[in-house]
Every structure is written in structure tokens, then in C-alpha cells.
């Protein structure tokens, strides 16, 4: 397992630096700039601002300076939120995004695994077909559809939860977490159902059934762990998708998460802010994939030596 972790980390370092460099080049060569507002600045003022932020240097030198700051944990100053550094903005928004994404991942796992277990235990029956149809619908509906729909039903019509923003309680978390978790829950449900179907058809489990082993023992003691391997391999991209998908959810529900800063930074060509968020997202995606590999290795010992 230690060798697996070291190999993944060794591959992650060049991958992260490649993402940083490519993102930097894409941002710098995109049309417009951080100082191109509705009222254009004078050439002298614009040149002075670009010089103060180092934007007048050659691209290769800007990349080297930026990578050097990243290694030291410094994402630089924001070009739009000039009273804040990018580190301060990330520190404000990241906890909210992680809270929403983490709760959504837990909820999606509970719904997906439970639904998959029920469907597999009732294979071929009406409840199995209903749950698989529900899983397909949940997977197909994007968050920008389910989010407003939940607001319309539970906020505007029933008045159970706030429409947007944060209040003193935890009710503001309910709708964003549910909206973010539903597509992932549908995918996990289908993976668990398929994995259990394969495992329950194995010869040793058929023999156990013939010997009178109870369905509960066959399901939980012998079939569940290997059946979770496909779902575990999906967890890394799923966790990353929840974090990046929170950008849409935070915009719909008006939450001051990291997604708000990312969107505003992209619209205003705030290079350090966008690059800081992209770098952070890339690092978290790599970390989530590593965690998924560890879980995968625990569920399937053959993976540890691959």
C-alpha cells in the first residue's frame, strides 16, 4: 500500500505543474485583461498597473515567478479584490465549498449504497426496476435543473427552507447539499447494484446459497466488499465533481463559497485568483483520487501491487 501511495504521489507532482502551466497560458492568451473595464484606462496608467503586477514581463518569466510563489504557498494578490490576497479569498470561500461538498458526498454515498443494496436484494422485482429508473433519472438531471426545482418546491411553494444565502441555523445547507448529491447518488446506486449482481452470481456464493447460508450473510459478509470496488473507483472523480459542481450550486443559492470568487475572477480576468482556485481544485482532485486508490486497494488487495 505504501508503494501505491508513493507511486501516485510521484505521478501527481508533474501532473499538477502541467495543469498550472497550461492554465496560466490559457488565461494569459485569452481575450481581454484585468484592467479592460467599461471606461478604458489611459495607456500610462494601464502600463503602470501591469508593471506593478509583473504583467509586462515575458510569459516564461511570469510563469517561473508564479510557480516559485506557488511552491511557497503564495497565490499572490488579487487584481480585482485589491484589499485581499488570493490566499485570504480562498480561506474565506473554501470552508463553505468543502462543507457543502463533503456533506453531499456523505449523503450521496448513503443513498447510493442503500439503494443499490435494496435493488440487488430484490433483483427482478418491481422495487428493483423502480430504483434503477430513479437512479437513471438522478444521474441524467444536472444540478442546474434540480437546484432551481428544489427551490421552487421547498422554498417558494412550501417555505420550508431559505431561498438563498446563509442564516444562523443549518437550514440553508439542506437544499444545496441535496441538489449537489442527487446525480452522484444515482451513479453510486447503479454501480453498487451492478457490482452486487456480479458477485451474487459467483459460484462460491451460489454454493453458499445451496448450503442454506442466509441472504443477509451472503450479501454483507461475502458480496458487499468486492461489489463496492467499482463504486470506490468512482469516488475520486465523484468527490472532485462535487467540489467543482459546487460552483453552480453556490451561484444558484447565493452562497459565498469558492465558486463565487472563481466565477467573478474569470469574468474580470483576475489571473491570480483564477489560477489560485484552479491550482487548489487540481490539488484536491489529485488528493481525492489518491484516497479513492487507497480505498480501492483496501477493497481489492490485487490493486496494491498494480
Amino acid at each position: 500500500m505504501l508503494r501505491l501511495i508513493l507511486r501516485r504521489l510521484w505521478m501527481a507532482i508533474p501532473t499538477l505543474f502541467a495543469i498550472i502551466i497550461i492554465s496560466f497560458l490559457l488565461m494569459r492568451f485569452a481575450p481581454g485583461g484585468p484592467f479592460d473595464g467599461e471606461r478604458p484606462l489611459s495607456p500610462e496608467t494601464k502600463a503602470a498597473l501591469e508593471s506593478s503586477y509583473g504583467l509586462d514581463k515575458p510569459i516564461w518569466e511570469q510563469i517561473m515567478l508564479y510557480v516559485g510563489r506557488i511552491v511557497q504557498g503564495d497565490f499572490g494578490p488579487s487584481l480585482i479584490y485589491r484589499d485581499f490576497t488570493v490566499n485570504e479569498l480562498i480561506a474565506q470561500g473554501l470552508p463553505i465549498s468543502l462543507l457543502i461538498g463533503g456533506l453531499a458526498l456523505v449523503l450521496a454515498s448513503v443513498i447510493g449504497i442503500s439503494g443499490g443494496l435494496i435493488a440487488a436484494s430484490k433483483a427482478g422485482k418491481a422495487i428493483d426496476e423502480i430504483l434503477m429508473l430513479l437512479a437513471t433519472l438522478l444521474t441524467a438531471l444536472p444540478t442546474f435543473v434540480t437546484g432551481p426545482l428544489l427551490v421552487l418546491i421547498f422554498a417558494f411553494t412550501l417555505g420550508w427552507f431559505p431561498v438563498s444565502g446563509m442564516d444562523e441555523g443549518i437550514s440553508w445547507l439542506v437544499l444545496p447539499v441535496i441538489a449537489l448529491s442527487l446525480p452522484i447518488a444515482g451513479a453510486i446506486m447503479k454501480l453498487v447494484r451492478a457490482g452486487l449482481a456480479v458477485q451474487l452470481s459467483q459460484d462460491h456464493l451460489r454454493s453458499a446459497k445451496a448450503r442454506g447460508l442466509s441472504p443477509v450473510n451472503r450479501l454483507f459478509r461475502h458480496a458487499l466488499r468486492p461489489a463496492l470496488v467499482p463504486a470506490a473507483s468512482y469516488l475520486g472523480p465523484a468527490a472532485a465533481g462535487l467540489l467543482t459542481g459546487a460552483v453552480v450550486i453556490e451561484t444558484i443559492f447565493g452562497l459565498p463559497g469558492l465558486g463565487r470568487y472563481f466565477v467573478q475572477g474569470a469574468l474580470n480576468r483576475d489571473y491570480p485568483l483564477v489560477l489560485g482556485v484552479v491550482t487548489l481544485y487540481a490539488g484536491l482532485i489529485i488528493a481525492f483520487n489518491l484516497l479513492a486508490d487507497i480505498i480501492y486497494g483496501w477493497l481489492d488487495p490485487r490493486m496494491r501491487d498494480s
Side-chain angles (χ1 to χ4, degrees):
M1 183 64 75
L2 180 60
R3 285 187 298 173
L4 172 65
I5 295 173
L6 292 176
R7 282 199 302 268
R8 294 297 187 267
L9 289 175
W10 180 252
M11 295 169 57
I13 294 174
T15 301
L16 184 59
F17 278 105
I19 291 172
I20 293 172
I21 293 172
I22 293 173
S23 301
F24 190 97
L25 293 173
L26 290 174
M27 281 295 301
R28 291 295 285 116
F29 288 113
F35 309 120
D36 297 334
E38 294 181 359
R39 291 187 297 177
L41 300 174
S42 65
E44 295 79 9
T45 303
K46 185 177 180 180
L49 287 172
E50 290 179 346
S51 177
S52 64
Y53 287 105
L55 300 179
D56 59 337
K57 293 181 171 61
I59 291 294
W60 66 268
E61 188 174 349
Q62 293 183 44
I63 293 176
M64 295 299 295
L65 291 173
Y66 183 74
V67 171
R69 288 201 305 266
I70 290 292
V71 172
Q72 300 174 23
D74 179 16
F75 292 110
S78 171
L79 304 183
I80 303 301
Y81 302 95
R82 298 183 183 176
D83 294 332
F84 299 93
T85 64
V86 175
N87 291 58
E88 292 171 339
L89 295 175
I90 290 176
Q92 291 177 14
L94 182 60
I96 296 174
S97 297
L98 288 179
L99 176 62
I100 297 172
L103 291 175
L105 183 60
V106 172
L107 180 61
S109 300
V110 171
I111 294 174
I113 294 174
S114 301
L117 281 169
I118 295 172
S121 64
K122 303 295 183 180
K125 298 183 180 179
I127 186 64
D128 179 23
E129 296 180 358
I130 292 173
L131 286 174
M132 289 301 98
L133 176 61
L134 177 61
T136 302
L137 291 174
L138 292 179
T139 307
L141 289 175
T143 54
F144 61 79
V145 173
T146 55
L149 186 61
L150 290 173
V151 170
L152 178 63
I153 297 174
F154 295 102
F156 283 116
T157 304
L158 299 177
W160 291 354
F161 303 103
V163 176
S164 63
M166 301 170 58
D167 56 25
E168 295 181 357
I170 61 172
S171 59
W172 62 273
L173 280 168
V174 176
L175 295 184
V177 169
I178 292 176
L180 196 58
S181 67
L182 290 180
I184 307 300
I188 293 176
M189 191 184 303
K190 295 175 73 173
L191 287 170
V192 172
R193 167 66 178 83
L196 284 171
V198 171
Q199 293 302 318
L200 291 174
S201 65
Q202 298 293 319
D203 291 339
H204 67 283
L205 283 176
R206 288 181 177 178
S207 300
K209 181 180 180 180
R211 291 196 303 269
L213 191 66
S214 68
V216 173
N217 281 332
R218 285 188 288 115
L219 193 64
F220 286 94
R221 293 187 59 184
H222 300 282
L224 182 58
R225 180 169 171 175
L228 288 178
V229 169
S233 64
Y234 174 72
L235 278 178
L242 286 174
L243 185 60
T244 55
V247 173
V248 177
I249 290 298
E250 289 166 10
T251 303
I252 293 174
F253 290 94
L255 300 176
L258 197 58
R260 180 186 66 174
Y261 293 122
F262 179 76
V263 172
Q264 291 299 319
L267 292 174
N268 294 296
R269 296 293 188 273
D270 191 342
Y271 304 135
L273 179 55
V274 173
L275 289 170
V277 175
V278 169
T279 302
L280 181 64
Y281 278 162
L284 289 173
I285 289 170
I286 291 172
F288 289 143
N289 284 325
L290 175 61
L291 179 60
D293 285 338
I294 294 173
I295 296 174
Y296 195 179
W298 175 72
L299 291 172
D300 187 357
R302 294 171 298 177
M303 179 65 183
R304 300 171 191 173
D305 298 324
S306 63

